[in-house]
Amino acid sequence: AYERTCRYFCRKTNSVVVCVGYRLAPEHPFPAQFEDCLTAAIHFLRTAQDHGVDPSRVVICGDSSGGTLTAAVAQALVNRRDLPKLRAQILIYPFLQCVDLNLPSYQQNESVPILLKERTLVLGLKYVNLDLGLVKELFKGRHVSEDRRLKYQKWVSPDYIPHEFKTRGYKPSPTYQPSKEICEAAESMFDPVFSPLLAEDSVIAQLPETFILTCEFDVLRDDGLLYKKRLEDHGIKVTWCHLEEGFHGTV
């Protein structure tokens, strides 16, 4: 599915393009996919010159769940002193957090193909091998403990979404009491490998220059907007492209 896209990037940018065929869930459980991408990135950084590539000019890129993996790999590499630093990361409509599944973009685009609101969460639950019966409770936010809510509200909140993105049918969501049982079941969803927006400040502050693409008609639009804000708050240079008529999968 991606070979033509990768060949296009290769031709248009005059770059060496490496596409990672990582193992897929549910046959290969989380975090095998991240481990495969990280292993490939480390190997390429070490052997870049064998491919005629300047190791200081390596960029990693991904779209949708590939954007999640790209963000997670970039975070995993920030403290590696034995490798060249990444030149940049490119995140194309990435999934980045599971704290708030009622952000404006989730509400506005819940029925927009191809990534319907419920489908997003079903795919996420399958990825981390959780019961699909949790969907309704997760949409209510009952998987977020009070401690976590306090910690993450400085990073994940509709308050940080610019006003112009709230004019199309957004209403603040009611708050539901967390459930201890659901919080425990959903523990893996707060791992920064699954939700890179939840990484600590000490990691975010070391990330490379970043390009983020968001689409107006995409439930994941606000994940990209929130990550853009976090990166910029730490002085990371961000190039942001927003497609006013774009939708998830548009690339």
Side-chain angles (χ1 to χ4, degrees), residues 45-57:
L45 284 165
R46 282 181 174 149
T47 61
Q49 287 172 316
D50 298 349
H51 303 279
V53 172
D54 177 347
S56 70
R57 293 178 58 82

Side-chain angles (χ1 to χ4, degrees), residues 13-47:
T13 63
N14 192 28
S15 303
V16 171
V17 174
V18 178
C19 186
V20 183
Y22 57 83
R23 291 168 293 170
L24 301 178
E27 294 81 2
H28 300 281
F30 169 86
Q33 299 71 24
F34 162 73
E35 289 165 354
D36 287 354
C37 292
L38 181 60
T39 299
I42 290 169
H43 176 72
F44 190 76
L45 284 165
R46 282 181 174 149
T47 61

Side-chain angles (χ1 to χ4, degrees), residues 17-243:
V17 174
V18 178
C19 186
V20 183
Y22 57 83
R23 291 168 293 170
L24 301 178
E27 294 81 2
H28 300 281
F30 169 86
Q33 299 71 24
F34 162 73
E35 289 165 354
D36 287 354
C37 292
L38 181 60
T39 299
I42 290 169
H43 176 72
F44 190 76
L45 284 165
R46 282 181 174 149
T47 61
Q49 287 172 316
D50 298 349
H51 303 279
V53 172
D54 177 347
S56 70
R57 293 178 58 82
V58 175
V59 177
I60 57 173
C61 171
D63 76 315
S64 193
S65 56
T68 316
L69 291 164
T70 298
V73 167
Q75 291 179 4
L77 292 173
V78 296
N79 289 316
R80 293 290 296 255
R81 301 286 170 254
D82 57 326
L83 296 168
K85 290 282 185 197
L86 289 173
R87 172 65 184 84
Q89 60 175 343
I90 296 174
L91 310 178
I92 300 171
Y93 38 74
F95 171 93
L96 296 170
Q97 62 83 34
C98 66
V99 173
D100 190 341
L101 301 162
N102 286 296
L103 290 169
S105 61
Y106 269 100
Q107 292 188 26
Q108 295 159 343
N109 303 309
E110 65 178 342
S111 302
V112 177
I114 55 174
L115 195 63
L116 311 182
K117 176 176 173 175
E118 189 161 324
R119 188 177 187 211
T120 307
L121 191 48
V122 166
L123 291 171
L125 290 171
K126 284 183 175 178
Y127 180 39
V128 286
N129 199 25
L130 291 178
D131 181 1
L132 300 186
L134 292 172
V135 166
K136 285 189 169 53
E137 299 305 309
L138 267 64
F139 281 137
K140 290 177 180 175
R142 299 194 67 211
H143 61 303
V144 188
S145 67
E146 286 300 335
D147 288 352
R148 281 207 161 109
R149 200 183 300 278
L150 285 170
K151 178 178 179 178
Y152 296 145
Q153 69 185 9
K154 62 183 183 287
W155 303 330
V156 184
S157 168
D159 296 344
Y160 302 133
I161 303 298
H163 176 71
E164 63 265 29
F165 293 104
K166 297 179 185 172
T167 55
R168 184 167 55 89
Y170 164 68
K171 291 180 184 170
S173 301
T175 304
Y176 295 89
Q177 284 295 99
S179 154
K180 187 165 184 268
E181 183 183 343
I182 295 167
C183 289
E184 287 173 359
E187 182 73 28
S188 56
M189 298 180 80
F190 297 97
D191 185 331
V193 169
F194 183 86
S195 294
L197 186 54
L198 307 182
E200 296 297 329
D201 286 337
S202 58
V203 172
I204 299 289
Q206 298 182 73
L207 287 169
E209 184 177 343
T210 301
F211 176 95
I212 297 176
L213 183 135
T214 54
C215 293
E216 180 60 31
F217 299 100
D218 180 8
V219 290
L220 301 182
R221 178 196 72 201
D222 294 350
D223 283 24
L225 295 178
L226 291 172
Y227 206 48
K228 172 181 178 286
K229 181 183 186 304
R230 267 204 89 188
L231 291 166
E232 288 175 338
D233 285 350
H234 285 278
I236 308 299
K237 184 180 177 187
V238 178
T239 302
W240 172 51
C241 174
H242 182 65
L243 303 183

